[in-house]
């Protein structure tokens, strides 16, 4: 099936640093969403993007919907310890009738 | 709290037993989704409902799996004759159809372990 590519699998940063994560696909997506998941919990929606080129912020988070509609990035500025978790990108394919396709996630560690 | 809720949070069962999970969506949401997540992977779509109608099923949903949403509110996911490969986190999400946007909100999940 369709896949979203997230790499690297893990990222390690120092508290206060900025971090950027990419999500790419060989297919065009209509919608991109970014979720954060803590161990043993469900994913929590961070940001949703609906138009190519759209740049959206939510506090220290900024995400962009790539102009080609095949990629998106998420930026976290001034990281804090509670940013630790797994970050997933998810997309909706044209005509997919609302189901989401997820990447494998990036595990973020923040050193105090 | 008006978020998506799931019950139970954890279920341990023996191979061959049947299990049933429940999901209560956000109250005004008319779309409800089931996903499965295994270790180190993102959630994978299983099925979704619009009101009480089941509109799509993934090929991941074998004939041992059945989902219902009888009154367009809560949903149940039943797995018959469980196998060890069914061990996973089962996630439910909901969204509101009449917006232009597909913001799906997830519950905390049910962790299934099949011994």
């Amino acid at each position: 099936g369709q896949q979203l590519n997230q790499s690297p699998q893990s990222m390690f940063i120092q508290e206060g640093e900025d971090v950027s994560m990419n999500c790419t696909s060989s297919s065009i997506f209509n919608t991109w969403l970014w979720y954060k998941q803590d161990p043993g919990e469900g994913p929590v929606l961070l940001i949703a993007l609906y138009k190519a080129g759209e740049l959206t912020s939510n506090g220290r988070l900024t995400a962009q919907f790539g102009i080609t509609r095949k990629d998106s990035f998420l930026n976290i500025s001034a990281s804090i310890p509670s940013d630790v978790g797994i970050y997933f990108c998810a997309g909706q394919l044209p005509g997919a009738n609302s189901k989401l396709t997820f990447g494998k996630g990036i595990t973020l560690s923040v050193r105090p | 709290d008006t978020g998506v809720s799931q019950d139970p949070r954890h279920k341990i069962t023996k191979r061959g037993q049947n299990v049933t999970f429940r999901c209560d969506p956000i109250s005004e949401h008319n779309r409800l989704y089931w996903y499965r997540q295994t270790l180190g992977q993102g959630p994978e779509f299983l099925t979704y409902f619009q009101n009480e109608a089941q509109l799509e099923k993934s090929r991941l949903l074998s004939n041992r799996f059945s989902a219902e949403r009888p009154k367009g509110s809560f949903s149940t996911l039943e797995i018959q004759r469980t196998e060890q490969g069914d061990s996973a986190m089962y996630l439910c999400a909901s969204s509101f159809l009449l917006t232009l946007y597909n913001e799906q909100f997830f519950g905390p999940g049910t962790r299934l372990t099949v011994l």
Side-chain angles (χ1 to χ4, degrees), chain A residues 36-102:
Chain A
K36 177 177 182 277
Q37 187 174 30
D38 292 328
E41 300 294 330
V44 173
L45 181 63
L46 299 174
I47 289 183
L49 302 156
Y50 298 99
K51 289 169 56 175
E54 180 181 356
L55 186 71
T56 297
S57 293
N58 178 10
R60 294 179 297 106
L61 308 179
T62 301
Q64 185 158 28
F65 190 141
I67 198 72
T68 65
R69 296 169 63 194
K70 293 183 178 181
D71 63 344
S72 176
F73 79 77
L74 174 71
N75 187 73
I76 304 173
S77 63
S79 58
I80 59 177
S82 62
D83 290 333
V84 165
I86 305 175
Y87 290 80
F88 290 98
C89 62
Q92 182 187 358
L93 293 165
N97 213 6
S98 91
K99 68 183 178 187
L100 296 178
T101 299
F102 281 80

Side-chain angles (χ1 to χ4, degrees), chain A residues 1 9 31 33 35 37 39-45 48 50 86 88 91-92 95-105, chain B residues 9-10 31 33 35 37 40-45 48 55-56 59 89 91 95 100-109 111:
Chain A
Q9 193 172 1
T31 302
L33 302 102
Y35 289 86
Q37 187 174 30
E41 300 294 330
V44 173
L45 181 63
Y50 298 99
I86 305 175
F88 290 98
Q92 182 187 358
N97 213 6
S98 91
K99 68 183 178 187
L100 296 178
T101 299
F102 281 80
K104 290 189 175 184
Chain B
R9 293 292 308 274
H10 303 274
R31 280 196 168 177
Y33 312 80
Y35 291 82
Q37 185 178 26
Q41 304 294 320
E44 294 177 292
F45 171 79
Y48 90 95
L55 295 187
E56 187 173 350
R59 62 180 180 276
M89 174 80 94
L91 294 163
S95 69
L100 296 176
Y101 310 117
N102 188 27
E103 296 179 357
Q104 296 184 20
F105 297 90
F106 283 82
R111 167 75 65 190

